[in-house]
Amino acid sequence: MIPLSVPELCGNEWSYVKECLDTGWVSSVGPGVTRFEHEMATYLGAGHAVATVNGTAALHVALHVVGVGTDDEVLVPTLTFIASVNAIRYCHAHPVFMDSERESWNLDPAKVAEFLMRECRLKKGRLVNRATGRRIAAILPVHILGHPVNLDPILDVARRFGLVVIEDAAESLGALYKGRPVGTLGDAACLSFNGNKILTSGGGGMILTQRAGWARRARHLTTQAKREEMEYRHDEIGYNYRLVNVLAALGLAQLERLPDFLRRKREIALRYQEALKKIKGITPMPEAPWARSSFWLYSVLLDRRQFPVNKEQVIAAMQRSGIQARPIWYPIHRQPMYRRNQAYRIEVANDLHRCGISLPCSVGLSVEAQGRVVDELHRLGERAA
Ligand SMILES: *Cc1c(COP(=O)(O)O)cnc(C)c1O
């Protein structure tokens, strides 16, 4: 079986975890967590980092800390993993679903600006959605599949209207936007170290921000909001969201390997790109001129007019040949919990969902195994043609 994406654990993982066990530092207190935060912040050039139990918790607390609250609205792409959107609801706020653009498959900045200008109005200095009467509080761009969002126009329009921008960089650690690392571009950002992400700590996440005050509050909220005193006194409702030391140890070992992981992901992507050119009806995932993708999850589009079998048939045929492929997410504005939320001019995202599949792309994928994936696509492409 050639899996979609599995972690590679061949560095210092064993020795760092053993060190935790030998010293007894296994829980949420311990030097490893702080070190992991520090090394990640240094690697990315982020001001402050706060480690969390997972990326979803990081998003929840980040949204809370920047001031997203009850009955606010947050602009989010419909084509993302569900966690980006659920985190908005955890803050009792509401998502407004936005479309993707073809150039990057990411949040479309033109439609974001258009929505804010046409569909919202300023009321006592706050931007209010005409349709719902609710305040627009933030924009949550998600750098999907390893590719950065075209962020500058989004940051511009956000500044103009006083909106906060929180990057969901869970899938794109290591990607660059105009030479700058994703996760350091907005007001705050979130990372995930889930098992299938480019860097894994088994489970884990991180909040990044330049603002010391937000970082302090995030750290406070993720550790039960306990005041620095002997007594059990808490000044707000906090969460038990801090990463534990054993997992931070895994994360630290993985972080040492990140440049190598990124290099190999790029090699895999370029090899796919080259090989797939020869198959009619397959469009490889883009890399916009202003982007350096981390190619986290290598994906392609199948053109229904040129490729003889559909997405479901391709995935099933690959499964039979021992190759794991997966469809791109089902758009969230069409999921039952979110069908009643506003979705603004969604077109491209639906197309990407209809035609998109992700292919095996583990860091450790061999040239031979990748060749098998390409051969299988060749075979399927020629089938009914
Ligand atoms: C993985 C992921 C998350 C959530 O991270 P977890 O660590 O699994 O909680 C959030 N957003 C996106 C886009 C993701 O891919």
Side-chain angles (χ1 to χ4, degrees), residues 208-294:
L208 306 169
T209 178
Q210 298 293 337
R211 297 207 202 178
W214 282 355
R216 211 176 308 121
R217 176 117 191 276
R219 185 160 287 120
H220 187 60
L221 281 170
T222 53
T223 51
Q224 307 278 28
K226 186 173 185 292
R227 279 157 50 181
E228 300 283 332
E229 285 160 28
M230 287 295 288
E231 240 188 326
Y232 284 97
R233 289 200 184 218
H234 308 261
D235 52 12
E236 54 183 322
I237 297 174
Y239 305 93
N240 182 13
Y241 275 179
R242 187 150 178 84
L243 187 68
V244 295
N245 216 53
V246 195
L247 300 185
L250 278 176
L252 275 165
Q254 289 262 295
L255 183 54
E256 295 172 351
R257 308 284 316 283
L258 185 59
D260 186 40
F261 290 173
L262 288 164
R263 188 178 53 73
R264 285 152 72 188
K265 281 281 193 191
R266 175 161 288 269
E267 280 171 12
I268 291 166
L270 295 181
R271 233 181 280 134
Y272 267 133
Q273 214 167 312
E274 203 47 42
L276 297 177
K277 266 189 204 156
K278 296 171 198 127
I279 307 178
K280 238 170 103 171
I282 293 190
T283 310
M285 74 190 291
E287 186 174 36
W290 36 262
R292 189 169 172 91
S293 179
S294 69

Coordinates of all heavy atoms in Angstrom, one line a residue, residues 208-294:
L208 N 0.9 31.9 16.8 CA 2.0 32.9 16.6 C 1.5 34.3 16.5 O 0.4 34.5 15.9 CB 2.7 32.5 15.3 CG 3.2 31.1 15.0 CD1 3.6 30.9 13.6 CD2 4.3 30.8 15.9
T209 N 2.2 35.2 17.1 CA 1.8 36.6 17.0 C 3.0 37.5 17.3 O 3.9 37.1 18.1 CB 0.6 37.0 17.9 OG1 0.3 38.4 17.7 CG2 0.8 36.7 19.3
Q210 N 2.9 38.7 16.8 CA 4.0 39.7 17.1 C 3.6 40.4 18.4 O 4.4 41.1 19.0 CB 4.1 40.8 16.0 CG 4.6 40.2 14.6 CD 6.0 39.7 14.7 OE1 6.8 40.0 15.5 NE2 6.3 38.8 13.7
R211 N 2.3 40.3 18.8 CA 1.9 41.1 19.9 C 2.1 40.4 21.3 O 1.4 39.4 21.5 CB 0.4 41.5 19.8 CG 0.1 42.3 18.6 CD -1.1 43.1 18.8 NE -1.7 43.5 17.5 CZ -2.8 44.2 17.4 NH1 -3.5 44.5 18.5 NH2 -3.2 44.6 16.2
A212 N 3.0 41.0 22.1 CA 3.3 40.4 23.4 C 2.0 40.2 24.2 O 1.8 39.2 24.9 CB 4.3 41.2 24.1
G213 N 1.1 41.2 24.2 CA -0.1 41.1 25.0 C -1.0 39.9 24.6 O -1.5 39.2 25.5
W214 N -1.2 39.8 23.3 CA -2.0 38.6 22.8 C -1.3 37.3 23.2 O -2.0 36.4 23.6 CB -2.2 38.7 21.3 CG -3.2 39.7 20.9 CD1 -4.0 40.5 21.7 CD2 -3.5 40.1 19.6 NE1 -4.8 41.3 21.0 CE2 -4.5 41.1 19.7 CE3 -3.1 39.7 18.3 CZ2 -5.1 41.7 18.5 CZ3 -3.6 40.3 17.2 CH2 -4.7 41.3 17.3
A215 N 0.0 37.2 23.1 CA 0.7 36.0 23.4 C 0.5 35.7 24.9 O 0.2 34.5 25.3 CB 2.1 36.1 23.0
R216 N 0.6 36.7 25.7 CA 0.5 36.5 27.2 C -0.9 36.0 27.5 O -1.1 35.0 28.3 CB 0.8 37.8 27.9 CG 1.4 37.7 29.3 CD 1.7 39.0 29.9 NE 2.5 39.9 29.0 CZ 2.1 41.1 28.6 NH1 1.0 41.6 28.9 NH2 2.9 41.8 27.8
R217 N -1.9 36.6 26.9 CA -3.3 36.2 27.2 C -3.6 34.8 26.6 O -4.2 34.0 27.3 CB -4.2 37.2 26.5 CG -5.7 36.9 26.6 CD -6.5 38.0 27.4 NE -7.8 37.5 27.7 CZ -8.8 37.6 26.9 NH1 -8.7 38.1 25.7 NH2 -10.0 37.1 27.2
A218 N -3.0 34.5 25.5 CA -3.2 33.1 24.9 C -2.6 32.1 25.9 O -3.2 31.0 26.1 CB -2.6 33.0 23.5
R219 N -1.4 32.4 26.4 CA -0.7 31.4 27.3 C -1.6 31.3 28.6 O -1.7 30.2 29.1 CB 0.7 32.0 27.6 CG 1.5 31.0 28.5 CD 3.0 31.3 28.4 NE 3.5 30.8 27.1 CZ 4.1 31.7 26.2 NH1 4.3 32.9 26.5 NH2 4.6 31.2 25.1
H220 N -2.1 32.4 29.0 CA -3.0 32.4 30.2 C -4.2 31.5 30.0 O -4.6 30.6 30.8 CB -3.4 33.8 30.5 CG -4.1 34.0 31.8 ND1 -3.6 33.7 33.0 CD2 -5.3 34.6 32.0 CE1 -4.4 34.1 34.0 NE2 -5.5 34.6 33.4
L221 N -4.9 31.7 28.8 CA -6.1 31.0 28.5 C -5.9 29.5 28.3 O -6.8 28.7 28.6 CB -6.8 31.6 27.3 CG -7.6 32.9 27.5 CD1 -8.0 33.5 26.1 CD2 -8.9 32.7 28.3
T222 N -4.7 29.2 27.8 CA -4.5 27.8 27.5 C -4.0 27.0 28.7 O -3.9 25.8 28.6 CB -3.4 27.6 26.4 OG1 -2.3 28.3 26.7 CG2 -3.9 28.1 25.0
T223 N -3.8 27.7 29.8 CA -3.4 27.0 31.0 C -4.4 27.4 32.2 O -4.0 27.7 33.3 CB -2.0 27.5 31.5 OG1 -1.9 28.9 31.5 CG2 -0.9 27.0 30.5
Q224 N -5.7 27.3 31.8 CA -6.8 27.4 32.8 C -7.0 28.8 33.4 O -7.7 29.0 34.4 CB -6.6 26.4 34.0 CG -6.5 24.9 33.5 CD -7.8 24.2 33.2 OE1 -8.7 24.9 32.8 NE2 -7.8 22.9 33.3
A225 N -6.3 29.8 32.8 CA -6.4 31.2 33.3 C -6.2 31.3 34.8 O -6.8 32.0 35.5 CB -7.8 31.7 32.9
K226 N -5.1 30.6 35.2 CA -4.8 30.7 36.7 C -3.8 31.8 36.9 O -2.9 32.0 36.1 CB -4.1 29.3 37.1 CG -3.8 29.2 38.6 CD -3.3 27.8 38.9 CE -3.2 27.6 40.4 NZ -2.1 28.4 40.9
R227 N -4.1 32.6 37.9 CA -3.2 33.7 38.2 C -1.9 33.2 38.9 O -1.9 32.1 39.5 CB -3.9 34.7 39.1 CG -4.8 35.6 38.4 CD -5.9 36.2 39.2 NE -5.4 36.8 40.4 CZ -6.1 37.4 41.4 NH1 -7.4 37.5 41.2 NH2 -5.6 38.0 42.4
E228 N -0.9 33.9 38.7 CA 0.5 33.5 39.2 C 0.5 33.5 40.7 O 1.3 34.3 41.3 CB 1.6 34.4 38.6 CG 1.6 34.3 37.1 CD 2.3 33.1 36.5 OE1 3.1 32.5 37.2 OE2 1.9 32.7 35.4
E229 N -0.3 32.7 41.4 CA -0.3 32.7 42.8 C -0.4 31.3 43.3 O -0.6 30.4 42.6 CB -1.5 33.5 43.3 CG -1.3 35.0 43.2 CD -2.6 35.8 43.2 OE1 -3.6 35.3 43.9 OE2 -2.7 36.8 42.6
M230 N -0.2 31.2 44.6 CA -0.3 29.8 45.2 C -1.7 29.3 45.1 O -2.0 28.2 44.8 CB 0.2 29.9 46.6 CG 1.7 30.0 46.8 SD 2.5 28.6 46.2 CE 2.1 27.4 47.5
E231 N -2.6 30.2 45.4 CA -4.0 29.9 45.6 C -4.6 29.6 44.2 O -4.2 30.1 43.2 CB -4.8 31.0 46.2 CG -5.4 30.5 47.5 CD -6.3 31.6 48.1 OE1 -6.0 32.8 47.9 OE2 -7.3 31.2 48.6
Y232 N -5.7 28.7 44.2 CA -6.4 28.5 42.9 C -7.3 29.6 42.6 O -8.5 29.5 42.8 CB -7.1 27.2 43.0 CG -6.2 26.0 42.9 CD1 -5.8 25.3 44.1 CD2 -5.8 25.5 41.7 CE1 -4.9 24.2 44.0 CE2 -4.9 24.4 41.6 CZ -4.5 23.8 42.7 OH -3.7 22.7 42.6
R233 N -6.8 30.7 42.1 CA -7.6 31.8 41.7 C -7.5 32.0 40.2 O -6.4 32.1 39.7 CB -7.2 33.1 42.4 CG -7.5 33.0 43.9 CD -7.5 34.4 44.4 NE -7.7 34.4 45.8 CZ -8.5 35.4 46.4 NH1 -9.0 36.3 45.7 NH2 -8.7 35.3 47.7
H234 N -8.6 32.2 39.6 CA -8.7 32.3 38.1 C -9.4 33.5 37.8 O -10.4 33.8 38.4 CB -9.4 31.1 37.5 CG -8.8 29.8 38.0 ND1 -7.9 29.0 37.3 CD2 -8.9 29.1 39.1 CE1 -7.5 27.9 37.9 NE2 -8.2 28.0 39.1
D235 N -8.9 34.3 36.8 CA -9.6 35.5 36.5 C -10.5 35.5 35.2 O -11.1 36.5 34.9 CB -8.6 36.7 36.4 CG -7.5 36.4 35.5 OD1 -7.6 35.4 34.7 OD2 -6.5 37.1 35.5
E236 N -10.5 34.4 34.5 CA -11.5 34.2 33.4 C -11.7 32.7 33.2 O -11.0 31.9 33.8 CB -11.2 35.0 32.2 CG -9.8 34.8 31.6 CD -9.5 35.7 30.4 OE1 -10.4 35.9 29.6 OE2 -8.4 36.1 30.2
I237 N -12.6 32.4 32.2 CA -12.8 31.0 31.9 C -11.7 30.5 31.0 O -11.7 30.9 29.8 CB -14.2 30.7 31.4 CG1 -15.2 31.1 32.4 CG2 -14.3 29.3 30.9 CD1 -16.6 31.0 31.9
G238 N -10.8 29.7 31.4 CA -9.7 29.2 30.6 C -9.9 27.8 30.1 O -11.0 27.3 30.1
Y239 N -8.9 27.3 29.5 CA -8.9 26.0 28.9 C -7.7 25.2 29.2 O -6.6 25.7 29.6 CB -9.0 26.1 27.3 CG -10.1 27.0 26.8 CD1 -9.9 28.3 26.6 CD2 -11.4 26.5 26.6 CE1 -10.9 29.2 26.2 CE2 -12.4 27.3 26.2 CZ -12.1 28.6 26.0 OH -13.1 29.4 25.5
N240 N -7.8 23.9 29.2 CA -6.7 23.0 29.4 C -6.1 22.7 28.0 O -6.4 21.6 27.5 CB -7.1 21.8 30.2 CG -5.9 20.9 30.4 OD1 -4.7 21.3 30.3 ND2 -6.2 19.6 30.8
Y241 N -5.4 23.6 27.4 CA -5.0 23.5 26.0 C -3.5 23.4 25.8 O -3.1 23.5 24.7 CB -5.6 24.7 25.2 CG -7.0 24.6 24.7 CD1 -7.6 25.6 24.0 CD2 -7.8 23.4 24.9 CE1 -8.9 25.6 23.5 CE2 -9.1 23.4 24.4 CZ -9.6 24.5 23.7 OH -10.9 24.4 23.2
R242 N -2.7 23.4 26.9 CA -1.3 23.5 26.7 C -0.7 22.1 26.2 O -1.1 21.1 26.6 CB -0.6 23.9 27.9 CG 0.9 24.2 27.7 CD 1.5 25.2 28.6 NE 2.9 25.5 28.4 CZ 3.4 26.3 27.5 NH1 2.6 26.9 26.6 NH2 4.7 26.4 27.4
L243 N 0.2 22.2 25.2 CA 0.9 21.0 24.7 C 1.7 20.4 25.8 O 2.1 21.1 26.8 CB 1.9 21.5 23.6 CG 2.6 20.3 22.8 CD1 1.6 19.6 22.0 CD2 3.7 20.9 21.9
V244 N 1.9 19.1 25.8 CA 2.7 18.4 26.8 C 4.1 18.2 26.3 O 4.4 18.2 25.1 CB 2.1 17.1 27.3 CG1 0.7 17.3 27.9 CG2 1.9 16.1 26.1
N245 N 5.0 18.1 27.3 CA 6.4 18.0 27.1 C 6.9 16.8 26.2 O 7.7 17.0 25.3 CB 7.1 17.9 28.4 CG 8.4 18.7 28.4 OD1 8.5 19.9 28.1 ND2 9.5 18.1 28.8
V246 N 6.3 15.7 26.4 CA 6.7 14.5 25.5 C 6.4 14.8 24.1 O 7.2 14.4 23.2 CB 5.9 13.2 25.9 CG1 6.5 12.0 25.3 CG2 5.7 13.1 27.4
L247 N 5.3 15.4 23.8 CA 5.0 15.7 22.4 C 5.8 16.9 21.9 O 6.2 16.9 20.7 CB 3.5 16.1 22.3 CG 2.5 15.0 22.7 CD1 1.1 15.3 22.4 CD2 2.8 13.6 22.0
A248 N 6.1 17.8 22.7 CA 7.0 18.9 22.3 C 8.4 18.3 21.9 O 9.0 18.8 21.0 CB 7.2 19.9 23.4
A249 N 8.8 17.3 22.6 CA 10.1 16.6 22.3 C 10.1 16.1 20.9 O 11.0 16.3 20.1 CB 10.4 15.5 23.3
L250 N 8.9 15.4 20.5 CA 8.8 15.0 19.1 C 8.8 16.1 18.2 O 9.5 16.1 17.1 CB 7.4 14.3 19.0 CG 7.3 12.8 19.4 CD1 5.8 12.4 19.2 CD2 8.2 11.9 18.6
G251 N 8.1 17.2 18.5 CA 8.1 18.4 17.6 C 9.5 19.0 17.4 O 9.8 19.4 16.3
L252 N 10.2 19.1 18.5 CA 11.6 19.6 18.4 C 12.5 18.8 17.5 O 13.2 19.3 16.6 CB 12.2 19.6 19.8 CG 11.9 20.9 20.6 CD1 12.3 20.6 22.1 CD2 12.6 22.1 20.1
A253 N 12.4 17.5 17.6 CA 13.2 16.6 16.7 C 12.7 16.8 15.3 O 13.6 16.8 14.4 CB 13.0 15.2 17.2
Q254 N 11.4 16.9 15.1 CA 10.9 17.1 13.7 C 11.3 18.4 13.1 O 11.6 18.5 11.9 CB 9.4 17.0 13.7 CG 8.9 15.6 14.0 CD 8.6 14.9 12.7 OE1 7.6 15.2 12.0 NE2 9.3 13.8 12.3
L255 N 11.3 19.4 13.9 CA 11.7 20.8 13.5 C 13.1 20.8 12.9 O 13.4 21.5 12.0 CB 11.5 21.8 14.6 CG 11.8 23.3 14.3 CD1 11.0 23.8 13.1 CD2 11.4 24.2 15.5
E256 N 14.0 20.0 13.5 CA 15.4 19.9 13.0 C 15.4 19.4 11.6 O 16.3 19.7 10.8 CB 16.2 19.0 13.9 CG 16.4 19.5 15.3 CD 17.1 18.4 16.2 OE1 17.2 17.3 15.8 OE2 17.4 18.8 17.4
R257 N 14.4 18.6 11.3 CA 14.4 18.0 9.9 C 13.6 18.8 8.9 O 13.5 18.4 7.7 CB 13.7 16.6 10.0 CG 14.3 15.7 11.1 CD 15.7 15.1 10.7 NE 15.6 14.7 9.3 CZ 15.1 13.5 8.9 NH1 14.5 12.7 9.7 NH2 15.1 13.2 7.6
L258 N 12.9 19.9 9.4 CA 12.0 20.6 8.5 C 12.6 21.0 7.1 O 12.0 20.8 6.1 CB 11.3 21.7 9.2 CG 10.2 22.5 8.4 CD1 9.1 21.6 8.0 CD2 9.7 23.7 9.2
P259 N 13.8 21.6 7.1 CA 14.4 22.1 5.8 C 14.5 20.9 4.9 O 14.2 21.0 3.7 CB 15.7 22.6 6.2 CG 15.6 23.1 7.6 CD 14.6 22.1 8.3
D260 N 14.9 19.7 5.4 CA 15.0 18.5 4.6 C 13.7 18.0 4.1 O 13.5 17.7 2.9 CB 15.7 17.4 5.4 CG 16.1 16.2 4.6 OD1 16.5 16.4 3.4 OD2 15.8 15.1 5.1
F261 N 12.7 18.1 5.0 CA 11.3 17.7 4.6 C 10.8 18.5 3.4 O 10.2 18.1 2.5 CB 10.3 17.8 5.8 CG 10.5 16.8 6.9 CD1 9.7 16.9 8.0 CD2 11.4 15.7 6.8 CE1 9.9 16.0 9.1 CE2 11.5 14.8 7.8 CZ 10.8 14.9 8.9
L262 N 11.0 19.8 3.6 CA 10.6 20.8 2.6 C 11.2 20.5 1.2 O 10.6 20.6 0.2 CB 10.8 22.2 3.0 CG 9.9 22.7 4.2 CD1 10.5 24.0 4.8 CD2 8.5 23.0 3.6
R263 N 12.5 20.3 1.3 CA 13.3 20.0 0.1 C 12.7 18.7 -0.6 O 12.5 18.7 -1.8 CB 14.8 19.8 0.4 CG 15.7 19.6 -0.8 CD 17.2 19.5 -0.3 NE 17.4 18.4 0.6 CZ 17.3 17.1 0.3 NH1 17.1 16.7 -0.9 NH2 17.5 16.2 1.2
R264 N 12.4 17.7 0.2 CA 11.9 16.5 -0.4 C 10.5 16.6 -1.0 O 10.1 16.0 -2.0 CB 12.1 15.3 0.5 CG 13.6 14.9 0.6 CD 14.0 14.3 1.9 NE 13.4 13.0 2.1 CZ 13.5 12.3 3.2 NH1 14.0 12.8 4.3 NH2 13.0 11.1 3.3
K265 N 9.7 17.4 -0.2 CA 8.3 17.6 -0.7 C 8.4 18.3 -2.1 O 7.6 18.0 -3.0 CB 7.6 18.5 0.2 CG 7.0 17.8 1.5 CD 5.8 17.1 1.1 CE 5.0 16.6 2.4 NZ 3.9 15.7 2.1
R266 N 9.3 19.3 -2.2 CA 9.5 20.0 -3.5 C 9.9 19.0 -4.6 O 9.4 19.1 -5.7 CB 10.4 21.2 -3.3 CG 10.8 21.9 -4.6 CD 11.3 23.3 -4.3 NE 10.3 24.2 -3.8 CZ 9.5 24.9 -4.6 NH1 9.7 25.0 -5.9 NH2 8.5 25.7 -4.1
E267 N 10.9 18.2 -4.3 CA 11.3 17.2 -5.3 C 10.2 16.3 -5.8 O 10.0 16.1 -7.0 CB 12.4 16.3 -4.7 CG 13.8 16.9 -4.7 CD 14.8 16.1 -3.9 OE1 14.5 14.9 -3.5 OE2 15.8 16.6 -3.6
I268 N 9.3 15.9 -4.8 CA 8.2 15.0 -5.2 C 7.2 15.8 -6.1 O 6.8 15.3 -7.1 CB 7.5 14.5 -3.9 CG1 8.3 13.5 -3.2 CG2 6.1 13.9 -4.2 CD1 7.9 13.2 -1.7
A269 N 7.0 17.1 -5.7 CA 6.0 17.9 -6.5 C 6.6 18.1 -7.9 O 5.8 18.0 -8.9 CB 5.8 19.2 -5.8
L270 N 7.8 18.4 -8.0 CA 8.4 18.7 -9.3 C 8.4 17.5 -10.2 O 8.1 17.5 -11.4 CB 9.8 19.3 -9.2 CG 9.9 20.7 -8.6 CD1 11.3 21.2 -8.5 CD2 9.0 21.7 -9.2
R271 N 8.6 16.3 -9.6 CA 8.6 15.1 -10.3 C 7.2 14.8 -10.8 O 7.0 14.4 -12.0 CB 9.1 13.9 -9.4 CG 10.2 13.1 -10.0 CD 10.6 11.9 -9.1 NE 11.5 12.4 -8.1 CZ 11.4 12.0 -6.8 NH1 10.4 11.3 -6.4 NH2 12.3 12.4 -5.9
Y272 N 6.2 15.0 -10.0 CA 4.8 14.8 -10.4 C 4.5 15.8 -11.6 O 3.9 15.4 -12.6 CB 3.8 15.1 -9.3 CG 3.4 13.9 -8.4 CD1 3.4 14.0 -7.0 CD2 2.9 12.8 -9.0 CE1 3.0 13.0 -6.2 CE2 2.5 11.7 -8.2 CZ 2.5 11.8 -6.8 OH 2.1 10.7 -6.1
Q273 N 4.9 17.0 -11.4 CA 4.5 18.0 -12.4 C 5.1 17.6 -13.7 O 4.4 17.8 -14.7 CB 5.2 19.3 -11.9 CG 4.5 20.6 -12.2 CD 5.1 21.8 -11.5 OE1 5.3 21.7 -10.3 NE2 5.4 22.8 -12.1
E274 N 6.3 17.2 -13.8 CA 7.0 16.8 -15.0 C 6.2 15.6 -15.6 O 5.9 15.6 -16.8 CB 8.4 16.4 -14.7 CG 9.4 16.5 -15.8 CD 9.3 17.8 -16.7 OE1 9.1 18.9 -16.1 OE2 9.3 17.6 -17.9
A275 N 6.0 14.6 -14.8 CA 5.4 13.3 -15.3 C 3.9 13.5 -15.7 O 3.5 12.9 -16.7 CB 5.5 12.2 -14.2
L276 N 3.2 14.3 -15.0 CA 1.8 14.5 -15.3 C 1.5 15.3 -16.5 O 0.4 15.3 -17.1 CB 1.0 15.0 -14.1 CG 1.1 14.1 -12.8 CD1 0.4 14.8 -11.6 CD2 0.5 12.8 -13.1
K277 N 2.5 16.1 -16.9 CA 2.3 16.9 -18.2 C 1.9 16.0 -19.3 O 1.3 16.5 -20.3 CB 3.7 17.5 -18.5 CG 3.9 18.9 -18.0 CD 5.2 19.5 -18.6 CE 5.8 20.5 -17.8 NZ 7.3 20.7 -18.0
K278 N 2.4 14.8 -19.3 CA 2.1 13.9 -20.4 C 0.8 13.3 -20.4 O 0.4 12.5 -21.3 CB 3.2 12.8 -20.5 CG 4.6 13.4 -20.7 CD 5.7 12.4 -20.5 CE 7.1 13.1 -20.3 NZ 7.7 12.6 -19.1
I279 N 0.0 13.5 -19.4 CA -1.3 12.9 -19.3 C -2.4 14.0 -19.6 O -2.4 15.0 -18.9 CB -1.6 12.3 -17.9 CG1 -0.5 11.3 -17.6 CG2 -2.9 11.6 -17.9 CD1 -0.6 10.6 -16.2
K280 N -3.2 13.8 -20.6 CA -4.2 14.8 -20.9 C -5.3 14.8 -19.9 O -5.7 13.8 -19.4 CB -4.8 14.4 -22.3 CG -4.6 15.6 -23.3 CD -5.0 15.1 -24.7 CE -6.4 15.6 -25.1 NZ -6.7 15.4 -26.5
G281 N -5.7 16.0 -19.6 CA -6.9 16.1 -18.6 C -6.5 16.2 -17.2 O -7.3 16.2 -16.3
I282 N -5.2 16.3 -16.9 CA -4.7 16.4 -15.5 C -4.0 17.8 -15.3 O -3.1 18.1 -16.1 CB -3.8 15.3 -15.0 CG1 -4.6 14.0 -15.0 CG2 -3.2 15.6 -13.7 CD1 -3.8 12.8 -14.3
T283 N -4.5 18.6 -14.4 CA -3.8 19.9 -14.1 C -3.2 19.7 -12.8 O -3.8 19.5 -11.8 CB -4.9 21.0 -14.0 OG1 -5.7 21.0 -15.2 CG2 -4.2 22.4 -13.9
P284 N -1.8 19.9 -12.7 CA -1.2 19.8 -11.4 C -1.5 21.0 -10.5 O -1.9 22.0 -11.0 CB 0.3 19.8 -11.8 CG 0.4 20.1 -13.2 CD -0.9 20.2 -13.8
M285 N -1.3 20.9 -9.2 CA -1.5 22.0 -8.3 C -0.7 23.2 -8.7 O 0.5 23.0 -9.1 CB -1.4 21.6 -6.9 CG 0.0 21.4 -6.3 SD 0.0 20.6 -4.7 CE -0.7 21.9 -3.6
P286 N -1.2 24.4 -8.5 CA -0.4 25.6 -8.9 C 0.7 26.0 -7.9 O 0.7 25.5 -6.8 CB -1.5 26.6 -8.9 CG -2.5 26.2 -7.9 CD -2.5 24.7 -7.9
E287 N 1.6 26.7 -8.4 CA 2.5 27.5 -7.6 C 2.5 28.9 -8.2 O 3.1 29.1 -9.2 CB 3.9 26.9 -7.5 CG 4.7 27.6 -6.4 CD 6.1 27.0 -6.2 OE1 6.7 26.4 -7.2 OE2 6.5 27.0 -5.1
A288 N 1.9 29.8 -7.5 CA 1.7 31.2 -8.1 C 3.1 31.9 -8.1 O 4.0 31.5 -7.3 CB 0.8 32.0 -7.2
P289 N 3.3 32.8 -9.0 CA 4.6 33.5 -9.1 C 5.1 34.1 -7.8 O 6.3 34.2 -7.6 CB 4.4 34.6 -10.2 CG 3.1 34.3 -10.8 CD 2.3 33.4 -9.9
W290 N 4.2 34.5 -6.9 CA 4.6 35.2 -5.7 C 4.7 34.2 -4.5 O 4.8 34.6 -3.4 CB 3.5 36.3 -5.3 CG 2.1 35.9 -5.7 CD1 1.5 36.3 -6.8 CD2 1.2 35.0 -5.0 NE1 0.2 35.7 -6.8 CE2 0.0 35.0 -5.7 CE3 1.3 34.3 -3.8 CZ2 -1.1 34.2 -5.3 CZ3 0.2 33.6 -3.4 CH2 -1.0 33.5 -4.1
A291 N 4.6 32.9 -4.9 CA 4.6 31.9 -3.8 C 5.7 30.9 -3.9 O 6.2 30.6 -5.0 CB 3.3 31.1 -3.9
R292 N 6.1 30.4 -2.7 CA 6.9 29.2 -2.7 C 6.1 28.2 -1.8 O 6.0 28.4 -0.6 CB 8.3 29.5 -2.1 CG 9.2 28.2 -2.3 CD 10.7 28.5 -2.0 NE 11.5 27.4 -1.9 CZ 12.1 26.9 -3.0 NH1 12.0 27.5 -4.2 NH2 12.9 25.8 -2.9
S293 N 5.6 27.2 -2.5 CA 4.7 26.3 -1.8 C 5.5 25.3 -1.0 O 6.7 25.0 -1.3 CB 3.9 25.5 -2.9 OG 3.0 24.6 -2.2
S294 N 4.9 24.8 0.1 CA 5.6 23.7 0.8 C 5.1 22.4 0.3 O 5.6 21.4 0.7 CB 5.3 23.8 2.3 OG 3.9 23.5 2.6

